[in-house]
Amino acid sequence: MKAFIFDLDGVITDSAEYHYLAWKALGEDLGIPFDREFNETLKGVSRTESLERILSLGGREQDFSLEEKEQLATKKNEHYVSLISKITSEDILPGIEVFLQELKRAGYKIGMASASKNAYMVTKQLGLLDAFDHIVDAATVAESKPHPEVFLKAAMALGVEPKECVGVEDAVAGVEAIHAAGMFAVGIGDPAVLTEADLVFTDTTGLTLDNVLARI
Ligand code: BG6
Ligand code: MG
């Protein structure tokens, strides 16, 4: 292994919770309430596809024009951006900074593969821009997870082969994307949800080089 490629939301910081709260509020405005279980199907999925999934949950996929859907997605994003406007390095998930330092010391390349158009802003607010050798975000890819494009682009930018990469993800769609890219998949979250991952830690404190390498 030569590189580790991380998802952002729900792996580096708990922004997955803010995506959930913002989508949930929009869903309630539209008369489409949903729970955390349905939210699992939105994790790692692009903004427009997430909206489509919520509308189809409520049987309302035909009720809005393209322009109205864009307005709904913008409304969610404005709410999300206001929720995350106050995040700082204090919001980096436990163990992540130490793990990133451990990887750097050991000579691994470190990349980010995020489905979010807010990835740079969030990483900057966390004070972690320098921790990553390369960041690929949603603005620079055509296909969204579970398509492997974002992970493949990150590997290419880091100058490594996909099979030399470990991907780290909290989303089912993200684990699928890592595997489709031909990488080793580490899941962060509930093992009963992330059943396809090669290795699952219930939270980020389990992430150490020894713990991961022992399983490869
Ligand atoms: C992913 C999140 O990282 O980014 C999804 O897991 C989110 O929940 C997606 O919908 C898109 O994010 P954004 O910030 O571009 O709306
Ligand atoms: Mg995620």
Side-chain angles (χ1 to χ4, degrees):
M1 291 295 163
K2 291 187 179 162
F4 279 69
I5 302 176
F6 293 83
D7 172 47
L8 171 67
D9 295 317
V11 171
I12 302 294
T13 184
D14 202 8
S15 45
E17 183 66 17
Y18 297 127
H19 279 296
Y20 170 56
L21 294 174
W23 281 128
K24 191 171 153 61
L26 186 82
E28 278 162 13
D29 282 356
L30 298 172
I32 313 173
F34 62 84
D35 57 14
R36 283 181 187 275
E37 194 183 336
F38 176 77
N39 185 60
E40 288 298 325
T41 69
L42 304 181
K43 282 187 180 174
V45 173
S46 74
R47 197 182 304 170
T48 46
E49 177 59 23
S50 296
L51 177 63
E52 291 296 339
R53 289 186 187 191
I54 292 167
L55 295 178
S56 77
L57 175 73
R60 301 201 61 187
E61 57 270 59
Q62 308 300 337
D63 292 1
F64 302 94
S65 66
L66 203 58
E67 198 187 338
E68 286 167 333
K69 284 182 187 174
E70 272 168 26
Q71 285 164 0
L72 292 173
T74 300
K75 187 175 173 193
K76 180 269 173 179
N77 190 54
E78 284 169 358
H79 185 189
Y80 173 72
V81 169
S82 80
L83 291 174
I84 59 165
S85 65
K86 290 186 182 66
I87 66 168
T88 67
S89 58
E90 305 260 300
D91 297 287
I92 299 169
L93 282 168
I96 288 290
E97 276 181 291
V98 172
F99 186 49
L100 291 172
Q101 285 157 9
E102 184 185 16
L103 292 176
K104 192 150 273 188
R105 265 200 315 275
Y108 289 90
K109 297 270 183 208
I110 303 174
M112 180 185 288
S114 175
S116 171
K117 291 184 174 158
N118 295 299
Y120 272 98
M121 183 192 65
V122 172
T123 310
K124 187 163 183 244
Q125 274 184 231
L126 293 172
L128 283 179
L129 280 180
D130 289 344
F132 292 89
D133 296 305
H134 194 83
I135 294 175
V136 182
D137 68 9
T140 56
V141 292
E143 305 285 346
S144 63
K145 299 172 188 176
H147 194 282
E149 184 184 7
V150 67
F151 282 97
L152 292 173
K153 261 197 143 168
M156 202 179 287
L158 295 173
V160 295
E161 294 294 323
K163 63 176 187 311
E164 296 168 330
C165 298
V166 176
V168 188
E169 263 288 352
D170 68 318
V172 173
V175 168
E176 268 183 62
I178 293 170
H179 277 159
M183 301 176 183
F184 185 88
V186 174
I188 302 293
D190 185 349
V193 173
L194 301 172
T195 52
E196 300 299 315
D198 298 303
L199 167 63
V200 179
F201 297 109
T202 49
D203 61 59
T204 48
T205 58
L207 282 169
T208 68
L209 202 43
D210 280 349
N211 283 350
V212 176
L213 294 182
R215 291 287 297 273
I216 295 175

